[in-house]
Structure formats: C-alpha cells, structure tokens
Amino acid sequence: MKELLADAAARAARYIAEIDHRPVVPSAQNVARLHALGGPLPEGPSDPAELLALLDDVGSPATVATTRGRYFGFVIGGTLPASLAANWLAGAWDQNAAMRVMSPVAAHLEDLVQTWILELLGLPSASAAGFVTCTTMANFSGLAAARSAILERVGWNVEEDGLFDAPAIRVVVGEEVHVSVLKALSMLGLGRSRVITVPADGQGRMRADALPVLDQHTIVCIQAGNVNTGAFDPAKEICARARAAGAWVHVDGAFGSWAAVSPQLAPLLEGVNAANSWAIDCHKWLNVPYDSGIVVVREPEHLRRALSAGSAAYLTQSAAREPWQYTPDASRRARGIELWAAIRSLGRSGLREMVERNCRQARLFADRLRAAGFTVLNDVVLNQVLVSFGTPDQTHRVIAEIQADGTCWCGGTLWHGHTAMRISVSCWATTDQDVERSVAAMIRIANSVKAA
Ligand SMILES: Cc1ncc(COP(=O)(O)O)c(C=O)c1O
C-alpha cells in the first residue's frame, strides 16, 4: 500500500510538472490510445501497481489540461495545492460525510466551512448550508426549499403529499436564466416551460422594471454572474420588491458569488444578501476538486424539511447539524475537507487576490483583443469576455483553430445574435504570462483567418 501510494503521488507530481509543456487538449493519437484501458471485463485480479502505471501511461496524456493556467473554456477552475493534497488524504480516510457518527471530522469541517462561507460571502449568519455536488444540485436544493416553504404557507405539505392537486406556484426567471435552473425546476415538478420570463438588457441582466406583480406564491430566480457576460441581475431592487410581496428569491450565484470576497467587486452583488436561498459553486472559482457546490438557505428549517429523509430505526438523529439532512444525497464523500483546505490556505486575502487577479486578466484579454482590432461584445465586469473575430464563419474558424493549436482552449457561444468566443478566467494558476501567451496565439490565428 505504502509503495503504491508513493508511486501515485510521484506520478501525479510529474503530471502537474509536465502539463505546462504540452498542448492544453490531448492529441487525437493519445485519445485513440484510450482503447488500451478497455477490453473485455477482467475475469480476475490485476496488480494495482501495474494498473496504476497503465492508467498514467494511457490516461494522463488523454486529459484536458484544465488544472493549469491556459484553459479558458466554460467556467472551469483548477485545484489549489492545499485542496489537492487534502483530497488525497481524504481519499485515504474514505469518510462517509452523511452523518456525524460516521465521520466526526467531516461533520466538524462542514460546520466550520458553513460559518466561514457565510462570513466570506456576506450571507445571513444563521443560514444553513448543504454541501452538494455542483451548482445544478445547489439550485435544485435551494428551489426545493422554496417550493416547500411556499406551499407550507398555504397549508400544503409537499414532502408528504407531493404536487398532486397542490396549490399553484409561480416561478419567475430572467431571459438569460442558466439552463441548470430550468433543469432544477423540471426535476422539482415545477416545469421548465411554465416559468414567467422577464426580459433582459444588453448585458443579460434581468430588467427589474419588467418584473410581473409578485406575491407570496412566487419564486423569483435571479442570477449573480451570467455565464456569457459575467453580468449580475439587479438584486437590490428585485429582492426589495419580492420581500414586500412575500415572494421567495433564489440566487444562482455559481461563480458570481465569489465577487463578495473583493471590496472592488462586491458592489456588483449589492442587495443579494436579502434573498432567501443561494447556489454557489466551489469547483469553479474556489478551485477545489470536482465535485463541489454549496446551497445556502436563510431559514435552515426550509432546507431541512425539503431534503431530510424520513426516519429509519438504524439511522441516527442528533441535536447537532446532521449533514445529510441538508443535501439530496445520503452517503457521499466528505467534500468539506477540500473546502476547508482551500479557505484555510488562501485566507480572506488570498481569495481576494485570486478573484481580483482573474478579473484583471479578463480585462487584459479584452484590452489586447480590442487593440488588435477585434470586437469585445460585453462589458467586462467580472471574469468573462466575449469576442467576435468578424463574421460568424470567421469566428467559428478562429475558435476551431485555437482549439486545435493547443496553446489555450476557449469555447464558442451565441450572444444576442452574435457568434462569439467565450474567455472565462477562473483558475488560480493563471499567470499574466499565460494570458499574454494565449492572447498572442488568438491574435495570430485570428489574423491568419482574416487574411485567408
Ligand atoms: C450561472 C451558472 N449557473 C449554474 C451553472 C452550473 O454549474 P454546475 O456545472 O456546477 O452544475 C453554471 C456553470 O457554468 C453557471 O455558470
């Protein structure tokens, strides 16, 4: 065991050391070699050292280099050193984080992280947090709490009686709502198409002046950080309107929530702490390993009622916070360990530095691309940049060639009718040199496409 783990650590360290020197995406040959991992179902055991060597030899070259500083696709973070190391130790611990009795350390670290996150993000200190797999599940969990609370007000117990014949719930979303919110609504029986959609402005912000009349049967889903532009819905105005009407506000703050750690950026979130529930991503901008998200609900009882299981004689209950009563899962890995390591290793100032650096780097991308004659389509308020390289066809070709070139990786999107390339700067490891090297490749490729 000891030798095997030492071998795994050596291989992992070599992978990290070498990854900067290879293309961000694997070559077609290395992807084709993956078949060497397959074959018929093994009838008998294999030597763990041999299979680890095979996994490294064949698997490592077929990875996408998201853990280093030149991957700008989707919204993808890397893994902070302290979190990766904590993840390895936690792997050895193999803790089930469901119940306090199964893992006192996992439960204790979740308690701590809950307190730290609420303080860091300026959310109400008596709120409850659930440690889930991703923002999609955080949206699901926050909206489950909303559904439960709204129906409880009219005397309906949705956990016991379901939605059959239940009083109607209205759901309001912005035109630029993230698909994960719609997926969560569909899983909750609230439907993706039954929503009332509020128009957005040119940056994708929900227009508060176009909100319908709100009431206490309404859930308003707002967004902090548009996946394309990084823009924030006007939380202050929307939360004030919702509060006066008794409506519930849920915030999809996947990556935008982290703006709260920077006094420069925090004004973008003004008023967001008056909402009722928040979905926050940790595997993106907090740079912890997958899979990690947090749901926060202002009144703990709403989250607990929505997600706790019924009783069973062999399962423990206690007066302390029982982690599994705040998540859709029961048994799960102890992802609070890596969150604790990330926050403890960076501290408030380190987190602020990382978030502000990534935002400055996004502005650097935008400045360099504009200076080279290309069109930046959004106001770069956070870490997202949208750029057009000319006609839709030219932009598609530039994106394809950037992806094939391997210096960096960016994906495409359609923004208000314009074909664009998305640049998302979300990795702790991104240096200004990474940005300069990547933007030089983008400009070289875009100029050659333009000239062709
Ligand atoms: C605004 C927003 N919400 C939700 C999500 C979904 O996040 P996850 O993949 O962690 O479920 C994303 C992903 O980029 C996002 O940008």
Side-chain angles (χ1 to χ4, degrees):
M1 181 79 140
K2 202 171 166 186
E3 275 170 29
L4 183 68
L5 294 183
D7 186 26
R11 287 175 185 280
R14 192 168 61 225
Y15 173 81
I16 303 265
E18 289 175 357
I19 200 153
D20 253 350
H21 309 295
R22 50 155 267 200
V24 172
V25 280
S27 66
Q29 292 92 310
N30 282 332
V31 174
R33 282 182 69 229
L34 285 171
H35 72 84
L37 297 172
L41 173 71
E43 290 297 340
S46 301
D47 175 18
E50 276 173 27
L51 74 81
L52 187 70
L54 176 68
L55 186 63
D56 187 24
D57 294 345
V58 177
S60 292
T63 54
V64 175
T66 48
T67 192
R68 296 307 298 167
R70 282 176 284 113
Y71 187 88
F72 305 109
F74 308 98
V75 187
I76 300 266
T79 303
L80 288 161
S83 282
L84 179 58
N87 169 277
W88 289 355
L89 186 58
W93 289 354
D94 188 29
Q95 299 292 279
N96 186 338
M99 294 173 202
R100 206 161 272 275
V101 69
M102 292 172 172
S103 180
V105 63
H108 181 70
L109 290 178
E110 282 196 6
D111 291 348
L112 257 181
V113 171
Q114 172 175 281
T115 309
W116 287 353
I117 287 279
L118 297 177
E119 188 178 336
L120 269 171
L121 302 186
L123 298 177
S125 60
S127 307
F131 294 82
V132 295
T133 51
C134 59
T135 306
T136 303
M137 282 318 289
N139 280 328
F140 172 87
S141 305
L143 290 168
R147 183 183 71 165
S148 179
I150 282 185
L151 289 177
E152 188 209 17
R153 282 179 200 154
V154 289
W156 191 270
N157 183 333
V158 70
E159 285 75 35
E160 294 301 327
D161 300 323
L163 285 176
F164 306 100
D165 302 322
I169 295 177
R170 292 162 81 226
V171 181
V172 175
V173 301
E175 199 182 347
E176 283 293 333
V177 61
H178 192 269
V179 287
S180 63
V181 172
L182 299 178
K183 177 172 175 172
L185 291 170
S186 76
M187 293 192 290
L188 286 162
L190 297 175
R192 4 175 164 243
S193 303
R194 278 183 83 256
V195 294
I196 301 166
T197 304
V198 179
D201 68 11
Q203 295 299 315
R205 292 174 291 231
M206 188 194 280
R207 276 182 36 210
D209 63 316
L211 271 179
V213 174
L214 305 178
D215 59 29
Q216 54 171 349
H217 311 292
T218 307
I219 305 170
V220 186
C221 303
I222 66 171
Q223 152 166 280
N226 177 288
V227 74
N228 283 309
T229 62
F232 291 67
D233 288 345
K236 189 176 170 195
E237 216 174 322
I238 297 172
C239 288
R241 289 265 308 271
R243 210 160 240 223
W248 180 291
V249 178
H250 172 76
V251 183
D252 174 1
F255 59 98
S257 298
W258 296 102
V261 303
S262 157
Q264 279 168 27
L265 300 165
L268 292 166
L269 286 162
E270 193 187 357
V272 91
N273 54 4
N276 304 83
S277 55
W278 300 264
I280 300 150
D281 208 300
C282 302
H283 49 220
K284 301 189 200 323
W285 227 350
L286 187 57
N287 280 260
V288 297
Y290 291 93
D291 36 28
S292 193
I294 300 180
V295 58
V296 173
V297 175
R298 175 184 290 276
E299 288 173 65
E301 194 44 34
H302 294 315
L303 185 62
R304 219 177 70 85
R305 204 182 42 239
L307 298 183
S308 59
S311 56
Y314 78 106
L315 299 172
T316 58
Q317 304 289 341
S318 77
R321 175 184 180 279
E322 284 297 337
W324 74 309
Q325 292 182 330
Y326 299 91
T327 59
D329 324 62
S331 295
R332 66 182 161 84
R333 79 185 185 86
R335 53 182 70 90
I337 297 170
E338 299 134 13
L339 296 173
W340 171 84
I343 300 172
R344 177 113 197 193
S345 73
L346 290 178
R348 204 192 281 272
S349 63
L351 258 169
R352 174 184 173 179
E353 185 282 327
M354 178 173 74
V355 166
E356 289 181 353
R357 168 165 42 94
N358 284 167
C359 293
R360 181 177 53 69
Q361 290 167 334
R363 295 195 298 275
L364 184 59
F365 266 119
D367 291 346
R368 293 278 189 271
L369 290 164
R370 267 194 221 102
F374 302 108
T375 310
V376 173
L377 298 171
N378 64 317
D379 295 342
V380 183
V381 293
L382 200 67
N383 61 339
Q384 306 292 121
V385 184
L386 295 177
V387 56
S388 159
F389 294 104
T391 64
D393 183 51
Q394 282 171 326
T395 302
H396 282 306
R397 275 166 51 211
V398 173
I399 295 170
E401 290 193 24
I402 287 172
Q403 292 179 355
D405 170 77
T407 305
C408 61
W409 200 95
C410 295
T413 192
L414 191 67
W415 177 249
H416 290 190
H418 298 281
T419 301
M421 185 176 84
R422 295 177 65 251
I423 304 172
S424 175
V425 194
S426 328
C427 184
W428 73 278
T430 299
T431 62
D432 288 4
Q433 274 164 314
D434 286 320
V435 175
E436 297 290 5
R437 198 170 142 195
S438 301
V439 84
M442 290 172 187
I443 292 170
R444 168 175 50 79
I445 290 167
N447 282 336
S448 81
V449 166
K450 204 159 80 176

